[in-house]
Amino acid sequence: MESSRGLLMLGLFAMICSITFASEPSPLQDFCVADSNGPGTGLHIAGNTSNAVGSRVTAVNVAEIPGLNTLGISLARVDYAPWGINPPHTHPRATEILTVLEGTLEVGFVTSNPENRLIKKVVYKGDVFVFPIGLVHFQRNIGYGNAAAIAALSSQNPGVITVANAVFGSNPDISPNILAKAFQVDKNAVLNLQSKF
């Protein structure tokens, strides 16, 4: 009887300790004071969307605000011309939550292999949508006016890999023979795409 009571107490103690120590890791430092004379972030200014894709991303990460160091967060403002897109891309180190400031966006992400299922939705002013870490995702303005959104990311340096740029604009080029076989298209189509990047 005494040994089972001892085992019960030991089990309870182990459970309490595991609950007590289960938390988010602490940052390496409390905070980092940024240069108060440095430039602002510019999130109040709409980005220039007169480019091939019709969007502009204004990033606010540890490179722009040193005070974000070790905090595990960053932001971006995304501006869209009418029918502009934020092309398919991925953030290898962060989940993203997008909040629509103005306009109407079609947003989506693709699940991983082998399913490769497209999850998409139309979102309006005030709506939010989450893009899981590492998954290819996109946004498209489906309205006739400008649109804007704020993206919050779970890393001070989330990284971004734009699919088309990475595949067709690598330096040096990926062999057109490899890409033609991978995409099941003519080699000339690949060469044409590579010339655009």
Side-chain angles (χ1 to χ4, degrees):
M1 180 73 161
E2 193 64 35
S3 64
S4 26
R5 184 173 292 169
L7 284 174
L8 178 62
M9 294 302 286
L10 182 61
L12 285 172
F13 179 73
M15 186 174 81
I16 291 169
C17 286
S18 66
I19 292 171
T20 303
F21 298 118
S23 67
E24 292 290 322
S26 296
L28 299 175
Q29 62 190 29
D30 289 334
F31 55 86
C32 173
V33 178
D35 179 5
S36 60
N37 296 319
T41 61
L43 290 183
H44 63 291
I45 301 169
N48 181 352
T49 59
S50 61
N51 54 53
V53 295
S55 72
R56 174 70 60 202
V57 176
T58 305
V60 180
N61 57 39
V62 73
E64 288 79 29
I65 302 178
L68 290 175
N69 191 34
T70 77
L71 298 181
I73 57 172
S74 58
L75 288 173
R77 175 184 171 131
V78 189
D79 290 284
Y80 311 84
W83 302 100
I85 65 166
N86 189 2
H89 64 282
T90 181
H91 303 289
R93 296 180 293 276
T95 291
E96 173 183 340
I97 185 167
L98 185 86
T99 304
V100 181
L101 298 177
E102 69 176 273
T104 304
L105 300 176
E106 175 186 17
V107 299
F109 65 86
V110 179
T111 64
S112 57
N113 291 338
E115 189 179 41
N116 292 324
R117 181 172 166 227
L118 174 63
I119 309 293
K120 70 176 186 166
K121 183 175 183 177
V122 173
V123 290
Y124 305 91
K125 182 177 181 176
D127 286 346
V128 298
F129 193 85
V130 175
F131 304 104
I133 187 171
L135 296 185
V136 173
H137 59 281
F138 65 90
Q139 303 102 39
R140 178 173 67 144
N141 179 359
I142 59 172
Y144 293 96
N146 292 333
I150 292 289
L153 299 114
S154 64
S155 171
Q156 70 182 31
N157 185 16
V160 64
I161 301 168
T162 304
V163 176
N165 292 6
V167 173
F168 297 108
S170 68
N171 186 12
D173 290 343
I174 297 173
S175 165
N177 293 326
I178 291 171
L179 295 178
K181 191 166 190 171
F183 287 96
Q184 301 176 18
V185 296
D186 182 79
K187 181 179 168 184
N188 289 326
V190 170
L191 291 169
N192 182 40
L193 286 168
Q194 286 179 321
S195 72
K196 297 178 187 311
F197 292 92

